[in-house]
């Protein structure tokens, strides 16, 4: 059963591209006819985060944009994966010393695969997708879905208090 479920998730990744800078152009190039990552089972340009399995964060994440990245990640259904695409998304890139730049998207959301480069070539994104597919194939379904309740809470929205709690 594990093999069948992982095979289905591995070869039907709906991608939500969160393009913030020049790396987004390389993402688009990877989806075009020359590189054609659709043949790997990756469906580009999901209508929104609620229909996506994979978020590709490409470009410089500023502190002002960080809450939007987190909010869109939280809207994605489980199982969800993240690829950090480019030096700016990985660690801030050439802007790492700026007061307004987040020092890597992994400070906001969990990242599964890092693709280095400035900007990375489309072939590097293809390799990152293959790496993610190998990770999905090795996943255990029970381990994936037994997250702690603390990991499922967001800092953006306060949980509702149950009625009768006295608060």
């Amino acid at each position: 059963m594990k093999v069948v479920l992982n095979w289905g998730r591995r070869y039907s990744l709906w991608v939500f591209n969160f393009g913030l800078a020049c790396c987004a152009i390389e993402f688009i190039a990877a989806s075009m006819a020359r590189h054609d990552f659709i043949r790997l089972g990756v469906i580009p340009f999901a209508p929104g985060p609620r229909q996506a399995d994979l978020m590709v964060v490409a470009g410089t994440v500023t502190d002002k944009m960080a809450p939007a990245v987190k909010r869109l990640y939280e809207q994605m259904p489980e199982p969800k994966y993240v690829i950090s695409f480019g030096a700016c998304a990985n660690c801030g890139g050439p802007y790492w010393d700026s007061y307004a730049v987040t020092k890597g998207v992994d400070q906001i959301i969990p990242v599964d695969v890092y693709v280095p480069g400035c900007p990375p070539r489309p072939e590097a994104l293809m390799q990152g997708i293959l790496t993610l597919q190998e990770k999905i194939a090795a996943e255990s379904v029970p381990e994936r879905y037994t997250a702690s309740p603390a990991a499922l809470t967001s800092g953006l929205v306060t949980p509702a208090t149950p009625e009768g709690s006295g608060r």
Side-chain angles (χ1 to χ4, degrees):
M1 187 71 167
K2 170 187 164 186
V3 174
V4 173
L5 285 174
N6 288 347
W7 178 84
R9 287 186 304 152
R10 176 182 184 179
Y11 291 116
S12 63
L13 290 170
W14 284 77
V15 178
F16 180 68
N17 181 22
F18 201 81
L20 296 166
C22 48
C23 292
I25 303 301
E26 296 298 323
F27 174 86
I28 294 168
S31 67
M32 294 298 147
R34 180 174 182 155
H35 301 286
D36 188 28
F37 64 44
I38 296 172
R39 66 189 159 95
L40 298 175
V42 178
I43 299 103
F45 313 117
R50 289 184 175 92
Q51 292 84 20
D53 303 313
L54 170 63
M55 176 189 271
V56 177
V57 180
T60 310
V61 180
T62 60
D63 292 340
K64 192 172 186 177
M65 188 58 74
V69 172
K70 183 172 177 118
R71 188 175 309 116
L72 290 171
Y73 174 78
E74 289 173 350
Q75 290 177 1
M76 292 172 60
E78 286 288 338
K80 52 189 169 185
Y81 307 98
V82 177
I83 292 180
S84 178
F85 186 62
C88 292
N90 291 346
C91 63
Y95 312 108
W96 68 272
D97 201 19
S98 173
Y99 67 93
V101 172
T102 303
K103 311 301 187 261
V105 75
D106 57 357
Q107 294 186 1
I108 307 163
I109 58 176
V111 175
D112 295 296
V113 176
Y114 295 91
V115 178
C118 185
R121 304 263 315 140
E123 293 88 354
L125 179 60
M126 305 272 279
Q127 182 62 41
I129 290 168
L130 291 173
T131 304
L132 179 64
Q133 287 177 336
E134 291 171 6
K135 183 176 181 178
I136 293 170
E139 268 184 349
S140 170
V141 176
E143 289 175 9
R144 179 72 183 177
Y145 291 106
T146 55
S148 66
L152 300 175
T153 59
S154 165
L156 300 174
V157 179
T158 56
T161 58
E163 293 187 35
S165 65
R167 288 177 47 164

